[in-house]
Amino acid sequence: MPAAVATGLDALRANPLRTLLSTIGVVMGAASLAAVLSLGDGAEAFMRERIAFEGMHRIAVEARTADVIDGHRIPRQAYPIFAAGDADAVAALLPDADVRLEVTGTALTGCRDGAPCLEAPGSPDAALRAVRVSGLWLAGTPSAPGLLAGRWFTADELRTGARVTVISRATATALLPPTTTSPVGGVIALGRASYRIIGLVADAPGGRDLSASVPLDTVDDALVPVPQPRARTLTVTVRTVEQAPDVRRRLDALVDARADWRGQVRVVAHGPERLAQVTQGILVMKLMLGAFTSISLLVGGIGIMNVLLASVAERTREVGIRKAVGARRRDIRRQFLTESVAISSAGSLIGVLLGLTGARVATAIIRAQTDALIYASVSVSTLVISALAALVVGIVFGTYPAVRAARLSPIDAIVRE
């Protein structure tokens, strides 16, 4: 360690109270900045989870079933109907993504005395209920969605069109007897067929609609008949929203390359636009709050400058003697900058720890008192920005006292004493 650095650290240890007081401002500034950035990171992470839960990680390949002319929607009489082979082709193009072929419609089921009712619709003792049913074909090796109980479809069940279903919690509550301990293994009626329940999934956030999923080849028996074939959707789920633009470009190229799809099929992705809006909003919030909290850092920097200027005045003789025995100007500057950086670094470390702890405690209290889903998160950028901001303040506000000390003349310094 250079002698100038060792001398600066010894000076700090010799005046612990003054060092502590000069550190408080930096501690408060770094703590405020770390807390604000931590809350911003938490908000961004929460929005990413919401986007993923709402299906914004998905890119949909849809058939154009209507045209809009002068603001009026005109249904098309013919449009492509995707098959399992189309899903397999997309899965081969995107091996790292989950690919589904699905069709969604409404099924009718009846319940009597709290139990599934298999009587034909219209019987006097049957109460009809509408269930949103999705027929699925999973291409490749997709990851199974989160289940509350049971399991997801196997490849054999999808290939053979087994009459099995995965239902939501709301569906189980509405269609099964209240005494049912577990819906798995039960049987419900969907349209003209009965399906054995193999899995239970959570309800969609904010909704209690009845929903169920069945293998694609059996969905026509479950859904209410319609005059035209139902359009099917190819859904590609990526791991992160950032991957969506590249996947969308590749799907657009696939659509353009197929003559039977060109002009008849569109690719839709809402996730990247939504994420960009959320990220921009959170960035603006971080910048505004960060600017306000930076005032605390400036106050801390002024405190450091004040303490170091007083230190220069008190140690004029010491500086003069050091220069008289051969110390150069850069040695004196290094000594006082070392003191400034040491103060700001210590304050930065303590402040970041206090800020992160305070943010976590505050969000825990808010969650305990309200239903707000707010929490604090820690990212590498938050730690780096908080630490570097305090460090820069120490260097900037320590430069003038260091330069002033370095410019002292050895003779004037000794005479002044």
Side-chain angles (χ1 to χ4, degrees), residues 315-372:
R315 295 155 59 189
T316 302
R317 182 179 178 85
E318 172 195 332
V319 173
I321 294 175
R322 290 198 63 205
K323 297 192 73 173
V325 297
R328 293 163 295 184
R329 284 191 173 187
R330 65 169 177 266
D331 297 325
I332 304 300
R333 285 198 300 267
R334 187 181 296 121
Q335 172 186 342
F336 283 91
L337 277 178
T338 298
E339 297 182 24
S340 177
V341 171
I343 291 173
S344 60
S345 299
S348 172
L349 177 60
I350 298 172
V352 169
L353 294 177
L354 287 178
L356 297 180
T357 303
R360 289 182 177 274
V361 171
T363 52
I365 294 175
I366 293 174
R367 288 197 304 270
Q369 300 296 326
T370 66
D371 295 331

Side-chain angles (χ1 to χ4, degrees), residues 81 99 186 204 353 401:
I81 303 296
V99 180
L353 294 177

Side-chain angles (χ1 to χ4, degrees), residues 25-393:
V26 180
V27 169
M28 299 304 296
S32 302
L33 187 59
V36 167
L37 295 179
S38 177
L39 292 175
D41 291 338
E44 184 174 354
F46 172 73
M47 289 307 302
R48 283 178 176 273
E49 291 177 2
R50 293 293 298 181
I51 288 173
F53 197 90
E54 293 171 3
M56 293 295 179
H57 280 192
R58 300 175 183 174
I59 300 98
V61 181
E62 303 174 346
R64 296 182 183 271
T65 59
D67 295 312
V68 178
I69 302 176
D70 294 335
H72 298 280
R73 187 174 183 274
I74 310 299
R76 290 187 175 186
Q77 298 301 314
Y79 40 82
I81 303 296
F82 301 132
D86 298 321
D88 292 336
V90 173
L93 177 67
L94 304 169
D96 295 332
D98 295 345
V99 180
R100 296 185 180 191
L101 174 61
E102 55 187 329
V103 58
T104 301
T106 301
L108 294 178
T109 186
C111 292
R112 182 180 60 190
D113 299 330
C117 178
L118 302 182
E119 285 82 3
S123 81
D125 54 352
L128 289 180
R129 289 179 179 271
V131 182
R132 180 179 179 273
V133 176
S134 296
L136 299 179
W137 171 263
L138 308 183
T141 55
S143 58
L147 293 170
L148 300 178
R151 60 176 176 82
W152 196 242
F153 303 112
T154 65
D156 288 339
E157 289 170 339
L158 293 172
R159 185 173 59 254
T160 59
R163 296 193 185 278
V164 291
T165 181
V166 177
I167 63 175
S168 66
R169 185 191 293 273
T171 306
T173 302
L175 301 184
L176 298 178
T179 56
T180 303
T181 58
S182 174
V184 178
V187 177
I188 62 172
L190 296 174
R192 302 183 300 276
S194 298
Y195 291 81
R196 180 170 55 88
I197 302 170
I198 61 171
L200 180 71
V201 296
D203 298 324
R208 298 283 295 175
D209 295 336
L210 307 187
S211 63
S213 298
V214 300
L216 183 65
D217 288 343
T218 70
V219 72
D220 289 336
D221 293 334
L223 298 181
V224 175
V226 292
Q228 281 189 274
R230 285 185 171 86
R232 296 177 176 182
T233 302
L234 279 168
T235 303
V236 179
T237 304
V238 294
R239 303 186 195 285
T240 62
V241 183
E242 287 79 6
Q243 294 175 329
D246 178 63
V247 171
R248 181 174 183 174
R249 284 192 294 269
R250 297 171 71 178
L251 289 174
D252 284 331
L254 176 63
V255 171
D256 291 338
R258 292 190 52 163
D260 56 334
W261 284 8
R262 192 180 307 121
Q264 305 293 319
V265 174
R266 63 178 182 176
V267 180
V268 180
H270 299 293
E273 292 82 359
R274 175 82 176 273
L275 179 63
Q277 294 172 356
V278 170
T279 303
Q280 184 177 11
I282 292 176
L283 178 60
V284 171
M285 181 194 72
K286 282 184 177 181
L287 291 176
M288 290 180 60
L289 296 179
F292 292 142
T293 56
S294 296
I295 297 175
S296 299
L297 277 176
L298 294 178
V299 173
I302 293 173
I304 292 176
M305 179 182 290
N306 187 36
V307 168
L308 289 180
L309 287 174
S311 178
V312 171
E314 292 175 0
R315 295 155 59 189
T316 302
R317 182 179 178 85
E318 172 195 332
V319 173
I321 294 175
R322 290 198 63 205
K323 297 192 73 173
V325 297
R328 293 163 295 184
R329 284 191 173 187
R330 65 169 177 266
D331 297 325
I332 304 300
R333 285 198 300 267
R334 187 181 296 121
Q335 172 186 342
F336 283 91
L337 277 178
T338 298
E339 297 182 24
S340 177
V341 171
I343 291 173
S344 60
S345 299
S348 172
L349 177 60
I350 298 172
V352 169
L353 294 177
L354 287 178
L356 297 180
T357 303
R360 289 182 177 274
V361 171
T363 52
I365 294 175
I366 293 174
R367 288 197 304 270
Q369 300 296 326
T370 66
D371 295 331
L373 297 176
I374 183 174
Y375 59 93
S377 179
V378 182
S379 66
V380 176
S381 61
T382 293
L383 298 176
V384 172
I385 291 174
S386 300
L388 286 182
L391 191 61
V392 169
V393 165

